[in-house]
Amino acid sequence: MRVLQESLIELLRRTSAEMPEDVQRAIARALELERQGTIAESALKIIERNIELARRKSQPICQDTGSILFYADVPVGFDEIAFAAAARQAVRQATANGWLRHNSVDTLTGRNDGTNLGPGSPALHFHQHPSPGTDVRLILKGGGCENVGSQYSLPCERLEADRDLDGCRKVILDAVVQAQGRGCGPGVLGVCLGGDRATSYAFSKTQFLRLLDDRNPVPELDRLEQDILHTANALGIGPMGFGGRTTLLGVKIGAINRLPASFFVSVSYMCWAYRRQGVRLNPDGGIERWLY
Amino acid sequence: MIPLSFPLTEEHIRALRVGDEIEFTGLLFTGRDAVHKYLARGGALPPGVDLRGGILYHCGPVVLKDPDGAWRVVAAGPTTSAREEPYQAEIIAKFGLRGVIGKGGMGERTLAACAAHGCVYLHAVGGAAQVLAECVNRVRAVHLLEQFGAPEAVWEFEVERFPAVVTMDAHGHSLHRDIEAASRAELAKRL
Ligand code: SF4
């Protein structure tokens, strides 16, 4: 229990302070693409410097340390109750150490008790898998970018979007234009086609667990991802909405079944401060290796 | 890169155009949701605190107290400015602000107030909490701390070369409006 808790504290610290390598590579590539002497270039340079400073000082990359989302893939017979208790203790400790801001507010009273613990926080998602290992992934999802996410119900008359892949494309690009730079772009889209309102948004978030430079194994979705990425980057919104060539760093789309009556497209927006890490745990709860 | 320093004059501000990159040195005041509502509804600042010629920074910083009693700024990135839109124009007029720093841009009323009173909106890089905290040399004072709590209090920061971009100038131009219109036009060609 103690060992597991320490592992989770380290997972929280590293996620908050150290940008994953795939995201750093994408930001470096974006910086090469922007024209020299533009404000887009300056913004990306500040972002790079910020990533480096946070890592060196072991302090949060962004002060909004976000919603705390754990995704645990666990073997059959795993004790989820014990894990949840360890995760809560780890969150309490990581908050006391300054890796997480006092970031969780009682919705009814407006009170913030400074622990980051309460109904819904942290959020824990468990999945059983047919293997003996335990993988724990963590996303810290900022509020500013969460606010620019949106859900569409097809057909959408305003956008002339039908219930097909072209309709999906239209609404996803609409979400990009609506967001402008307000989600602290350049961002990454996690999209779900289908599902009900709740499962659709939840599934869109799991797309952020993918590596930025992976390719979607489903050919239609892969084409759509590439198309949205290139189209969005041709719109000139740019980092922070200052104008420029990098509006998005990536697009990740998944599809789940829907009811005949519904066709939802849910778009979650992740800011450049894309904080996501993961660990494979050994049987005593220690960290065997890092997943990203 | 245009250097600016406190206190700012109307002339400094009117010379700025949308897209200019600036670095600000001098005294910076923070204020976010609670302070905006408070000031716009007739609340007063403590005696001796004067925002005239100054910049209000939309920021809820993370500030720690060192054992010797000095404040240390740990994170100080901008917060979303749009929430202050109902109050900003009045505060610019009443307190003689020359600049507002935040992220995401603001609306038409603030833009009009910038033109009328000689003020600009400066966009800092959202999320750059560490880089921007490094620009703070010293915390000079804090006001309304008891009343609003640390993130919502008015902090007086002495900053050096704090980077930001003019995205709304004192001539009625808004980079946000221009980029949004241009990006919508580009999208229309690609649908
Ligand atoms: S959107 Fe992301 S980068 Fe921007 S303030 Fe929120 S968490 Fe930070």
Side-chain angles (χ1 to χ4, degrees), chain B residues 110-165:
Chain B
T110 301
L111 189 60
C114 284
H117 304 286
C119 181
V120 285
Y121 178 83
L122 300 157
H123 199 302
V125 172
Q130 295 303 328
V131 167
L132 299 176
E134 285 263 308
C135 296
V136 182
N137 284 339
R138 197 169 82 92
V139 176
R140 208 174 76 158
V142 56
H143 313 288
L144 304 170
L145 180 61
E146 302 274 275
Q147 198 168 343
F148 296 137
E152 297 273 350
V154 175
W155 294 87
E156 289 188 21
F157 290 160
E158 284 172 14
V159 302
E160 194 178 332
R161 302 186 59 192
F162 184 104
V165 177

Tab-separated table of all heavy atoms in Angstrom, chain B residues 110-165:
chain	number	residue	atom	x	y	z
B	110	THR	N	-14.939	46.173	-24.006
B	110	THR	CA	-13.577	46.444	-23.554
B	110	THR	C	-12.780	47.119	-24.665
B	110	THR	O	-12.026	48.069	-24.417
B	110	THR	CB	-12.885	45.137	-23.112
B	110	THR	OG1	-13.659	44.561	-22.063
B	110	THR	CG2	-11.472	45.378	-22.630
B	111	LEU	N	-12.978	46.652	-25.887
B	111	LEU	CA	-12.274	47.238	-27.032
B	111	LEU	C	-12.622	48.729	-27.150
B	111	LEU	O	-11.738	49.576	-27.360
B	111	LEU	CB	-12.666	46.486	-28.310
B	111	LEU	CG	-11.878	46.821	-29.575
B	111	LEU	CD1	-10.396	46.518	-29.396
B	111	LEU	CD2	-12.433	46.017	-30.768
B	112	ALA	N	-13.885	49.045	-26.972
B	112	ALA	CA	-14.320	50.449	-27.057
B	112	ALA	C	-13.720	51.262	-25.912
B	112	ALA	O	-13.282	52.406	-26.103
B	112	ALA	CB	-15.848	50.521	-27.024
B	113	ALA	N	-13.666	50.665	-24.735
B	113	ALA	CA	-13.085	51.370	-23.585
B	113	ALA	C	-11.596	51.618	-23.809
B	113	ALA	O	-11.066	52.668	-23.424
B	113	ALA	CB	-13.309	50.571	-22.300
B	114	CYS	N	-10.911	50.663	-24.445
B	114	CYS	CA	-9.485	50.826	-24.753
B	114	CYS	C	-9.294	52.034	-25.675
B	114	CYS	O	-8.379	52.844	-25.470
B	114	CYS	CB	-8.911	49.574	-25.417
B	114	CYS	SG	-8.612	48.219	-24.256
B	115	ALA	N	-10.148	52.145	-26.665
B	115	ALA	CA	-10.035	53.274	-27.608
B	115	ALA	C	-10.371	54.591	-26.915
B	115	ALA	O	-9.676	55.598	-27.080
B	115	ALA	CB	-10.960	53.040	-28.800
B	116	ALA	N	-11.415	54.581	-26.103
B	116	ALA	CA	-11.872	55.827	-25.478
B	116	ALA	C	-10.877	56.355	-24.446
B	116	ALA	O	-10.670	57.556	-24.331
B	116	ALA	CB	-13.238	55.601	-24.829
B	117	HIS	N	-10.263	55.446	-23.692
B	117	HIS	CA	-9.452	55.887	-22.555
B	117	HIS	C	-7.952	55.687	-22.733
B	117	HIS	O	-7.179	56.005	-21.839
B	117	HIS	CB	-9.918	55.176	-21.284
B	117	HIS	CG	-11.379	55.378	-21.007
B	117	HIS	ND1	-11.887	56.573	-20.530
B	117	HIS	CD2	-12.438	54.564	-21.190
B	117	HIS	CE1	-13.214	56.461	-20.422
B	117	HIS	NE2	-13.569	55.256	-20.817
B	118	GLY	N	-7.547	55.112	-23.872
B	118	GLY	CA	-6.117	54.898	-24.087
B	118	GLY	C	-5.593	53.748	-23.252
B	118	GLY	O	-4.817	53.911	-22.313
B	119	CYS	N	-6.050	52.546	-23.611
B	119	CYS	CA	-5.670	51.331	-22.883
B	119	CYS	C	-5.456	50.225	-23.924
B	119	CYS	O	-5.973	50.323	-25.042
B	119	CYS	CB	-6.805	50.967	-21.916
B	119	CYS	SG	-6.520	49.512	-20.899
B	120	VAL	N	-4.663	49.216	-23.586
B	120	VAL	CA	-4.505	48.082	-24.508
B	120	VAL	C	-4.734	46.769	-23.773
B	120	VAL	O	-4.541	46.687	-22.555
B	120	VAL	CB	-3.096	48.002	-25.145
B	120	VAL	CG1	-2.911	49.047	-26.224
B	120	VAL	CG2	-1.997	48.086	-24.092
B	121	TYR	N	-5.101	45.776	-24.558
B	121	TYR	CA	-5.191	44.422	-24.019
B	121	TYR	C	-3.962	43.656	-24.478
B	121	TYR	O	-3.642	43.611	-25.667
B	121	TYR	CB	-6.461	43.713	-24.522
B	121	TYR	CG	-6.566	42.292	-24.022
B	121	TYR	CD1	-7.086	42.025	-22.755
B	121	TYR	CD2	-6.121	41.219	-24.785
B	121	TYR	CE1	-7.155	40.723	-22.276
B	121	TYR	CE2	-6.186	39.915	-24.314
B	121	TYR	CZ	-6.710	39.672	-23.056
B	121	TYR	OH	-6.782	38.386	-22.583
B	122	LEU	N	-3.280	43.093	-23.520
B	122	LEU	CA	-2.042	42.366	-23.787
B	122	LEU	C	-2.259	40.888	-23.495
B	122	LEU	O	-2.769	40.530	-22.426
B	122	LEU	CB	-0.932	42.908	-22.887
B	122	LEU	CG	-0.623	44.398	-23.094
B	122	LEU	CD1	0.026	44.991	-21.852
B	122	LEU	CD2	0.262	44.588	-24.305
B	123	HIS	N	-1.877	40.057	-24.456
B	123	HIS	CA	-2.089	38.620	-24.311
B	123	HIS	C	-0.785	37.964	-23.867
B	123	HIS	O	0.230	38.070	-24.548
B	123	HIS	CB	-2.529	38.053	-25.661
B	123	HIS	CG	-3.213	36.721	-25.578
B	123	HIS	ND1	-2.615	35.615	-25.014
B	123	HIS	CD2	-4.432	36.315	-25.983
B	123	HIS	CE1	-3.460	34.589	-25.093
B	123	HIS	NE2	-4.571	34.989	-25.669
B	124	ALA	N	-0.812	37.315	-22.721
B	124	ALA	CA	0.355	36.536	-22.287
B	124	ALA	C	0.174	35.109	-22.794
B	124	ALA	O	-0.920	34.725	-23.202
B	124	ALA	CB	0.457	36.560	-20.771
B	125	VAL	N	1.228	34.333	-22.771
B	125	VAL	CA	1.118	32.947	-23.233
B	125	VAL	C	0.448	32.107	-22.152
B	125	VAL	O	0.985	31.946	-21.055
B	125	VAL	CB	2.499	32.366	-23.613
B	125	VAL	CG1	2.397	30.872	-23.895
B	125	VAL	CG2	3.046	33.082	-24.842
B	126	GLY	N	-0.732	31.614	-22.485
B	126	GLY	CA	-1.500	30.809	-21.543
B	126	GLY	C	-0.729	29.566	-21.160
B	126	GLY	O	-0.135	28.918	-22.023
B	127	GLY	N	-0.737	29.246	-19.887
B	127	GLY	CA	-0.066	28.029	-19.431
B	127	GLY	C	1.396	28.223	-19.088
B	127	GLY	O	1.997	27.348	-18.476
B	128	ALA	N	1.980	29.381	-19.460
B	128	ALA	CA	3.422	29.557	-19.238
B	128	ALA	C	3.700	30.018	-17.808
B	128	ALA	O	4.388	31.007	-17.561
B	128	ALA	CB	3.992	30.539	-20.254
B	129	ALA	N	3.161	29.271	-16.863
B	129	ALA	CA	3.201	29.654	-15.454
B	129	ALA	C	4.619	29.858	-14.932
B	129	ALA	O	4.879	30.749	-14.135
B	129	ALA	CB	2.504	28.587	-14.611
B	130	GLN	N	5.545	29.007	-15.395
B	130	GLN	CA	6.911	29.065	-14.863
B	130	GLN	C	7.692	30.228	-15.450
B	130	GLN	O	8.358	30.974	-14.731
B	130	GLN	CB	7.637	27.737	-15.139
B	130	GLN	CG	7.041	26.546	-14.410
B	130	GLN	CD	7.004	26.754	-12.910
B	130	GLN	OE1	7.861	27.420	-12.331
B	130	GLN	NE2	5.987	26.212	-12.266
B	131	VAL	N	7.613	30.391	-16.765
B	131	VAL	CA	8.329	31.488	-17.415
B	131	VAL	C	7.852	32.829	-16.855
B	131	VAL	O	8.661	33.718	-16.568
B	131	VAL	CB	8.108	31.438	-18.949
B	131	VAL	CG1	8.565	32.723	-19.606
B	131	VAL	CG2	8.859	30.248	-19.549
B	132	LEU	N	6.553	32.953	-16.673
B	132	LEU	CA	6.025	34.241	-16.222
B	132	LEU	C	6.328	34.477	-14.737
B	132	LEU	O	6.621	35.598	-14.338
B	132	LEU	CB	4.528	34.339	-16.534
B	132	LEU	CG	4.238	34.245	-18.052
B	132	LEU	CD1	2.745	34.237	-18.333
B	132	LEU	CD2	4.905	35.376	-18.833
B	133	ALA	N	6.319	33.408	-13.950
B	133	ALA	CA	6.687	33.562	-12.532
B	133	ALA	C	8.141	34.011	-12.405
B	133	ALA	O	8.494	34.762	-11.498
B	133	ALA	CB	6.460	32.253	-11.770
B	134	GLU	N	8.982	33.539	-13.334
B	134	GLU	CA	10.396	33.930	-13.302
B	134	GLU	C	10.592	35.427	-13.530
B	134	GLU	O	11.636	35.976	-13.173
B	134	GLU	CB	11.170	33.168	-14.392
B	134	GLU	CG	11.430	31.729	-14.085
B	134	GLU	CD	12.824	31.511	-13.512
B	134	GLU	OE1	13.812	31.977	-14.129
B	134	GLU	OE2	12.898	30.889	-12.446
B	135	CYS	N	9.607	36.053	-14.175
B	135	CYS	CA	9.712	37.493	-14.438
B	135	CYS	C	9.425	38.320	-13.187
B	135	CYS	O	9.653	39.529	-13.187
B	135	CYS	CB	8.719	37.916	-15.517
B	135	CYS	SG	9.056	37.171	-17.105
B	136	VAL	N	8.862	37.691	-12.164
B	136	VAL	CA	8.526	38.451	-10.952
B	136	VAL	C	9.752	38.501	-10.043
B	136	VAL	O	10.186	37.477	-9.521
B	136	VAL	CB	7.341	37.805	-10.202
B	136	VAL	CG1	6.978	38.645	-8.976
B	136	VAL	CG2	6.141	37.648	-11.115
B	137	ASN	N	10.286	39.673	-9.859
B	137	ASN	CA	11.462	39.820	-8.994
B	137	ASN	C	11.096	39.881	-7.523
B	137	ASN	O	11.831	39.434	-6.665
B	137	ASN	CB	12.227	41.095	-9.345
B	137	ASN	CG	13.030	40.922	-10.624
B	137	ASN	OD1	13.319	39.799	-11.023
B	137	ASN	ND2	13.375	42.021	-11.257
B	138	ARG	N	9.944	40.517	-7.260
B	138	ARG	CA	9.607	40.744	-5.866
B	138	ARG	C	8.109	40.958	-5.743
B	138	ARG	O	7.483	41.524	-6.641
B	138	ARG	CB	10.316	42.012	-5.375
B	138	ARG	CG	10.386	42.168	-3.869
B	138	ARG	CD	11.341	43.301	-3.497
B	138	ARG	NE	10.707	44.606	-3.592
B	138	ARG	CZ	10.099	45.217	-2.573
B	138	ARG	NH1	10.025	44.643	-1.390
B	138	ARG	NH2	9.558	46.408	-2.727
B	139	VAL	N	7.562	40.484	-4.639
B	139	VAL	CA	6.178	40.811	-4.321
B	139	VAL	C	6.221	42.049	-3.434
B	139	VAL	O	6.799	42.007	-2.348
B	139	VAL	CB	5.488	39.650	-3.580
B	139	VAL	CG1	4.085	40.044	-3.158
B	139	VAL	CG2	5.453	38.415	-4.460
B	140	ARG	N	5.661	43.158	-3.914
B	140	ARG	CA	5.766	44.391	-3.147
B	140	ARG	C	4.692	44.469	-2.060
B	140	ARG	O	4.953	44.947	-0.961
B	140	ARG	CB	5.678	45.606	-4.068
B	140	ARG	CG	6.426	46.785	-3.485
B	140	ARG	CD	6.478	47.941	-4.425
B	140	ARG	NE	5.202	48.636	-4.470
B	140	ARG	CZ	5.077	49.898	-4.863
B	140	ARG	NH1	6.112	50.585	-5.275
B	140	ARG	NH2	3.889	50.468	-4.874
B	141	ALA	N	3.511	44.028	-2.407
B	141	ALA	CA	2.430	44.079	-1.421
B	141	ALA	C	1.287	43.184	-1.886
B	141	ALA	O	1.264	42.738	-3.032
B	141	ALA	CB	1.928	45.520	-1.283
B	142	VAL	N	0.376	42.929	-0.972
B	142	VAL	CA	-0.846	42.218	-1.352
B	142	VAL	C	-2.025	42.884	-0.647
B	142	VAL	O	-1.917	43.300	0.504
B	142	VAL	CB	-0.746	40.708	-1.030
B	142	VAL	CG1	-0.422	40.461	0.436
B	142	VAL	CG2	-2.021	39.974	-1.434
B	143	HIS	N	-3.126	43.035	-1.376
B	143	HIS	CA	-4.314	43.688	-0.833
B	143	HIS	C	-5.528	42.770	-0.974
B	143	HIS	O	-5.582	41.967	-1.893
B	143	HIS	CB	-4.590	44.992	-1.579
B	143	HIS	CG	-3.374	45.840	-1.747
B	143	HIS	ND1	-2.788	46.507	-0.705
B	143	HIS	CD2	-2.603	46.080	-2.835
B	143	HIS	CE1	-1.705	47.142	-1.153
B	143	HIS	NE2	-1.571	46.907	-2.439
B	144	LEU	N	-6.473	42.956	-0.075
B	144	LEU	CA	-7.719	42.204	-0.086
B	144	LEU	C	-7.495	40.690	0.052
B	144	LEU	O	-8.290	39.889	-0.412
B	144	LEU	CB	-8.522	42.503	-1.384
B	144	LEU	CG	-8.826	43.983	-1.646
B	144	LEU	CD1	-9.394	44.179	-3.054
B	144	LEU	CD2	-9.812	44.520	-0.612
B	145	LEU	N	-6.387	40.341	0.683
B	145	LEU	CA	-6.027	38.930	0.834
B	145	LEU	C	-7.011	38.191	1.737
B	145	LEU	O	-7.478	37.099	1.420
B	145	LEU	CB	-4.604	38.822	1.393
B	145	LEU	CG	-4.044	37.429	1.613
B	145	LEU	CD1	-3.967	36.652	0.308
B	145	LEU	CD2	-2.660	37.482	2.247
B	146	GLU	N	-7.338	38.824	2.863
B	146	GLU	CA	-8.270	38.199	3.805
B	146	GLU	C	-9.632	37.992	3.144
B	146	GLU	O	-10.239	36.943	3.255
B	146	GLU	CB	-8.486	39.117	5.016
B	146	GLU	CG	-7.236	39.469	5.752
B	146	GLU	CD	-6.900	38.420	6.788
B	146	GLU	OE1	-7.453	38.526	7.888
B	146	GLU	OE2	-6.104	37.507	6.475
B	147	GLN	N	-10.031	39.047	2.457
B	147	GLN	CA	-11.378	39.072	1.903
B	147	GLN	C	-11.563	38.047	0.772
B	147	GLN	O	-12.578	37.365	0.705
B	147	GLN	CB	-11.645	40.475	1.367
B	147	GLN	CG	-13.094	40.791	1.144
B	147	GLN	CD	-13.272	42.292	0.887
B	147	GLN	OE1	-12.396	43.116	1.176
B	147	GLN	NE2	-14.416	42.650	0.336
B	148	PHE	N	-10.575	37.957	-0.113
B	148	PHE	CA	-10.772	37.148	-1.320
B	148	PHE	C	-9.911	35.898	-1.410
B	148	PHE	O	-10.101	35.091	-2.318
B	148	PHE	CB	-10.534	38.008	-2.570
B	148	PHE	CG	-11.503	39.143	-2.731
B	148	PHE	CD1	-11.065	40.402	-3.122
B	148	PHE	CD2	-12.858	38.953	-2.497
B	148	PHE	CE1	-11.961	41.448	-3.282
B	148	PHE	CE2	-13.768	39.987	-2.650
B	148	PHE	CZ	-13.313	41.241	-3.038
B	149	GLY	N	-8.945	35.741	-0.541
B	149	GLY	CA	-8.051	34.583	-0.642
B	149	GLY	C	-6.925	34.839	-1.634
B	149	GLY	O	-7.004	35.753	-2.452
B	150	ALA	N	-5.900	33.992	-1.557
B	150	ALA	CA	-4.661	34.265	-2.312
B	150	ALA	C	-4.839	34.393	-3.827
B	150	ALA	O	-4.356	35.351	-4.421
B	150	ALA	CB	-3.610	33.219	-1.973
B	151	PRO	N	-5.509	33.442	-4.489
B	151	PRO	CA	-5.563	33.572	-5.951
B	151	PRO	C	-6.342	34.801	-6.410
B	151	PRO	O	-6.081	35.348	-7.469
B	151	PRO	CB	-6.281	32.300	-6.421
B	151	PRO	CG	-6.292	31.379	-5.253
B	151	PRO	CD	-6.179	32.228	-4.027
B	152	GLU	N	-7.297	35.249	-5.584
B	152	GLU	CA	-8.183	36.338	-6.011
B	152	GLU	C	-7.734	37.694	-5.474
B	152	GLU	O	-8.345	38.728	-5.789
B	152	GLU	CB	-9.622	36.064	-5.522
B	152	GLU	CG	-10.252	34.808	-6.115
B	152	GLU	CD	-10.943	35.052	-7.450
B	152	GLU	OE1	-11.104	36.218	-7.841
B	152	GLU	OE2	-11.299	34.064	-8.103
B	153	ALA	N	-6.702	37.721	-4.670
B	153	ALA	CA	-6.266	38.986	-4.069
B	153	ALA	C	-5.610	39.889	-5.114
B	153	ALA	O	-5.330	39.473	-6.237
B	153	ALA	CB	-5.265	38.693	-2.952
B	154	VAL	N	-5.381	41.156	-4.733
B	154	VAL	CA	-4.621	42.057	-5.599
B	154	VAL	C	-3.167	42.007	-5.150
B	154	VAL	O	-2.819	42.470	-4.059
B	154	VAL	CB	-5.150	43.512	-5.503
B	154	VAL	CG1	-4.268	44.462	-6.319
B	154	VAL	CG2	-6.596	43.577	-5.988
B	155	TRP	N	-2.324	41.431	-5.987
B	155	TRP	CA	-0.899	41.338	-5.697
B	155	TRP	C	-0.168	42.424	-6.461
B	155	TRP	O	-0.466	42.676	-7.632
B	155	TRP	CB	-0.341	39.973	-6.127
B	155	TRP	CG	-0.889	38.820	-5.337
B	155	TRP	CD1	-2.030	38.133	-5.610
B	155	TRP	CD2	-0.334	38.243	-4.157
B	155	TRP	NE1	-2.225	37.148	-4.662
B	155	TRP	CE2	-1.197	37.200	-3.756
B	155	TRP	CE3	0.806	38.512	-3.384
B	155	TRP	CZ2	-0.958	36.410	-2.638
B	155	TRP	CZ3	1.054	37.729	-2.273
B	155	TRP	CH2	0.174	36.688	-1.902
B	156	GLU	N	0.787	43.041	-5.804
B	156	GLU	CA	1.660	43.989	-6.504
B	156	GLU	C	2.979	43.287	-6.765
B	156	GLU	O	3.735	42.994	-5.845
B	156	GLU	CB	1.916	45.232	-5.634
B	156	GLU	CG	0.715	46.141	-5.484
B	156	GLU	CD	1.067	47.446	-4.775
B	156	GLU	OE1	2.255	47.832	-4.759
B	156	GLU	OE2	0.143	48.052	-4.221
B	157	PHE	N	3.218	43.014	-8.029
B	157	PHE	CA	4.454	42.334	-8.428
B	157	PHE	C	5.413	43.338	-9.065
B	157	PHE	O	4.999	44.141	-9.899
B	157	PHE	CB	4.173	41.271	-9.500
B	157	PHE	CG	3.419	40.056	-9.021
B	157	PHE	CD1	2.762	39.253	-9.943
B	157	PHE	CD2	3.380	39.703	-7.682
B	157	PHE	CE1	2.070	38.116	-9.538
B	157	PHE	CE2	2.695	38.563	-7.260
B	157	PHE	CZ	2.035	37.773	-8.191
B	158	GLU	N	6.675	43.254	-8.703
B	158	GLU	CA	7.695	43.979	-9.467
B	158	GLU	C	8.232	43.018	-10.508
B	158	GLU	O	8.871	42.022	-10.170
B	158	GLU	CB	8.818	44.456	-8.540
B	158	GLU	CG	8.404	45.664	-7.723
B	158	GLU	CD	9.419	46.035	-6.664
B	158	GLU	OE1	10.564	45.528	-6.713
B	158	GLU	OE2	9.056	46.827	-5.778
B	159	VAL	N	7.924	43.301	-11.763
B	159	VAL	CA	8.306	42.360	-12.820
B	159	VAL	C	9.380	42.957	-13.716
B	159	VAL	O	9.551	44.171	-13.804
B	159	VAL	CB	7.094	41.931	-13.688
B	159	VAL	CG1	6.017	41.310	-12.830
B	159	VAL	CG2	6.540	43.084	-14.507
B	160	GLU	N	10.087	42.050	-14.366
B	160	GLU	CA	11.128	42.470	-15.284
B	160	GLU	C	10.934	41.740	-16.602
B	160	GLU	O	10.866	40.517	-16.639
B	160	GLU	CB	12.495	42.137	-14.683
B	160	GLU	CG	13.628	42.819	-15.392
B	160	GLU	CD	14.969	42.502	-14.716
B	160	GLU	OE1	15.001	42.235	-13.500
B	160	GLU	OE2	15.979	42.515	-15.436
B	161	ARG	N	10.816	42.506	-17.652
B	161	ARG	CA	10.704	41.974	-19.017
B	161	ARG	C	9.628	40.890	-19.129
B	161	ARG	O	9.875	39.788	-19.616
B	161	ARG	CB	12.063	41.458	-19.491
B	161	ARG	CG	13.131	42.542	-19.452
B	161	ARG	CD	14.435	42.081	-20.054
B	161	ARG	NE	14.258	41.678	-21.439
B	161	ARG	CZ	15.176	41.018	-22.143
B	161	ARG	NH1	16.323	40.683	-21.606
B	161	ARG	NH2	14.951	40.703	-23.394
B	162	PHE	N	8.454	41.244	-18.674
B	162	PHE	CA	7.314	40.328	-18.739
B	162	PHE	C	6.775	40.351	-20.180
B	162	PHE	O	6.337	41.385	-20.666
B	162	PHE	CB	6.248	40.807	-17.749
B	162	PHE	CG	5.064	39.918	-17.624
B	162	PHE	CD1	4.909	39.089	-16.525
B	162	PHE	CD2	4.074	39.909	-18.605
B	162	PHE	CE1	3.795	38.268	-16.401
B	162	PHE	CE2	2.961	39.088	-18.491
B	162	PHE	CZ	2.822	38.272	-17.377
B	163	PRO	N	6.795	39.193	-20.886
B	163	PRO	CA	6.449	39.215	-22.311
B	163	PRO	C	4.942	39.091	-22.574
B	163	PRO	O	4.253	38.309	-21.922
B	163	PRO	CB	7.174	37.977	-22.853
B	163	PRO	CG	7.221	37.030	-21.694
B	163	PRO	CD	7.245	37.861	-20.437
B	164	ALA	N	4.463	39.875	-23.527
B	164	ALA	CA	3.062	39.768	-23.931
B	164	ALA	C	2.911	40.357	-25.331
B	164	ALA	O	3.828	40.991	-25.851
B	164	ALA	CB	2.158	40.499	-22.941
B	165	VAL	N	1.747	40.114	-25.916
B	165	VAL	CA	1.472	40.586	-27.274
B	165	VAL	C	0.249	41.492	-27.235
B	165	VAL	O	-0.739	41.170	-26.573
B	165	VAL	CB	1.187	39.377	-28.209
B	165	VAL	CG1	0.820	39.850	-29.609
B	165	VAL	CG2	2.382	38.440	-28.252
